[in-house]
Amino acid sequence: MKITLMKGKIHRASVTEADLHCEGSISIDRALSQAAGFLTNERVEIYNIDTGARFATNVIEAPPGSGIIGLNGAAARLAMPGDKIIIVAYALFDDAEARTFRPRVVRVGRENRILSD
């Protein structure tokens, strides 16, 4: 049996841009994406804290240190710049892995900068 667990998340990121006419995806600052353990093209779930919208798309890379969290294509209809979102990736684990695995949780503050714990 496989168990689905959160693999990584970026918590309370601010959407910086929304481009309806760009190919669909979410652009994430490379430094944030790496800190959360996200891979380019990986499926992520997005939870809009401000509106309650929940949707999925794939990750594309934005320049490291840019703070960019950009929604592209149809996803741009579900959040607007300034909205706070949670971005989560999940993975399948067998029972033994699931009992020891620890997800990467990245908390961000102003301008989507990583907060230290």
Side-chain angles (χ1 to χ4, degrees):
M1 176 179 10
K2 295 286 186 179
I3 301 164
T4 304
L5 298 178
M6 179 181 74
K7 181 184 105 166
K9 90 172 170 177
I10 300 173
H11 191 72
R12 295 190 61 83
S14 295
V15 175
T16 59
E17 51 194 49
D19 185 351
L20 184 61
H21 303 291
C22 186
E23 188 174 332
S25 57
I26 183 168
S27 305
I28 302 175
D29 173 320
R30 181 177 167 198
L32 295 176
S33 195
Q34 287 180 336
F38 299 162
L39 301 174
T40 298
N41 296 314
E42 183 171 7
R43 176 191 168 116
V44 290
E45 302 284 329
I46 298 153
Y47 311 124
N48 188 324
I49 295 167
D50 293 313
T51 69
R54 300 167 72 90
F55 54 98
T57 191
N58 64 290
V59 174
I60 62 173
E61 194 174 282
S66 65
I68 290 173
I69 300 290
L71 293 169
N72 305 307
R77 295 243 189 239
L78 300 171
M80 56 197 289
D83 282 0
K84 294 286 188 190
I85 62 173
I86 300 168
I87 308 162
V88 182
Y90 297 93
L92 294 173
F93 297 86
D94 64 32
D95 187 66
E97 289 173 310
R99 293 182 185 283
T100 60
F101 179 77
R102 296 293 173 252
R104 295 185 189 187
V105 176
V106 178
R107 290 178 176 79
V108 296
R110 292 178 47 122
E111 300 178 358
N112 293 325
R113 301 294 178 230
I114 297 173
L115 298 173
S116 57
D117 288 333

